[in-house]
Amino acid sequence: MATENPRASSEPLPEDSLLRRSWLLLKGALEGLTERDRLLWFIIVFEFLLLSTMIGAGQMMNSLQAEAMASSVGAGLPVSSGPEAVAISIFKNNYFLALLMDIPLAGPVMAAFISFNSGLYISAQAIASSTPYAQISGVQELLAYFSVPTFWLEFFAYTLATLEGIYLLVSLFMRKFLSELPKFVVVVIGVALVLFISAEIEAFFYMRG
């Protein structure tokens, strides 16, 4: 009858063996990520960005800071040039942010910061528009944005861009960049289309308002 060698079971694995096992576990997890349906990860990233925005919207500031931030919103838009110029300006800004989110490794960090900063501006608008008789919190203002179609269009586009940045990083790590490249091109074009539609809608209502 064979007996287990207690010394062998208690001895630590060699360092190269531990590194190899860690690498194999990481490789298996990454391979699963690249083959798995992206819908689950889209939902996770979407909730992550929404949470970042809500945290930003929950920040407090004094009225002077709020008024300064709120007044800067839309300050650079070429209103005198007409709605198309406004739409193009909005599109350029939003698409630039989306491209930042597409960057492997740095993209998710940029997305979290941009989402938090967007929530911060929403909080500033809420505080600046509050009166002694009607106090509005940033979270309440954010909930009001939920009824605006452009909010969801932009969030959809930013989520796609952030998710693709993650998959690009994985493809580089797994040496499958060429197979991921066509999907990246589709995402970049799709994000541009969604943000352009959103910018047209936003410019239309901005000029009317």
Side-chain angles (χ1 to χ4, degrees):
M1 182 176 178
T3 58
E4 184 181 357
N5 186 347
R7 182 181 176 184
S9 60
S10 61
E11 287 181 352
L13 291 171
E15 185 176 353
D16 59 340
S17 178
L18 285 174
L19 291 175
R20 179 175 176 78
R21 288 183 61 181
S22 300
W23 161 248
L24 290 176
L25 288 173
L26 178 61
K27 183 178 179 181
L30 292 178
E31 286 177 344
L33 175 63
T34 56
E35 296 167 0
R36 198 173 302 171
D37 186 3
R38 299 190 181 209
L39 179 60
L40 173 62
W41 294 102
F42 178 88
I43 294 172
I44 292 173
V45 173
F46 184 89
E47 292 178 346
F48 169 72
L49 297 184
L50 187 59
L51 178 62
S52 299
T53 306
M54 293 186 69
I55 293 174
Q59 301 301 306
M60 299 300 297
M61 65 188 75
N62 60 53
S63 58
L64 291 177
Q65 290 175 319
E67 289 173 4
M69 290 185 67
S71 62
S72 67
V73 176
L77 293 177
V79 178
S80 60
S81 300
E84 282 304 315
V86 172
I88 292 173
S89 178
I90 294 173
F91 168 74
K92 285 182 177 179
N93 177 71
N94 292 345
Y95 194 50
F96 174 73
L97 296 179
L99 291 178
L100 289 178
M101 298 176 188
D102 256 328
I103 300 173
L105 190 62
V109 179
M110 294 296 298
F113 174 77
I114 292 168
S115 299
F116 174 85
N117 203 46
S118 297
L120 199 61
Y121 272 89
I122 291 174
S123 177
Q125 289 177 324
I127 295 172
S129 61
S130 295
T131 67
Y133 306 101
Q135 296 290 329
I136 305 173
S137 69
V139 175
Q140 289 173 324
E141 185 80 3
L142 176 61
L143 292 176
Y145 272 87
F146 286 179
S147 63
V148 180
T150 55
F151 177 86
W152 296 113
L153 287 173
E154 290 177 9
F155 242 87
F156 176 80
Y158 292 155
T159 302
L160 279 180
T162 305
L163 180 63
E164 186 56 30
I166 295 173
Y167 271 84
L168 272 180
L169 176 63
V170 173
S171 69
L172 288 169
F173 195 71
M174 299 301 299
R175 299 178 182 177
K176 295 181 178 179
F177 178 75
L178 291 180
S179 63
E180 184 65 28
L181 190 58
K183 299 174 185 176
F184 170 74
V185 174
V186 170
V187 169
V188 168
I189 296 173
V191 167
L193 181 60
V194 172
L195 289 179
F196 181 78
I197 294 172
S198 174
E200 287 287 345
I201 297 173
E202 187 173 348
F204 174 77
F205 284 104
Y206 185 85
M207 295 300 290
R208 289 189 63 183

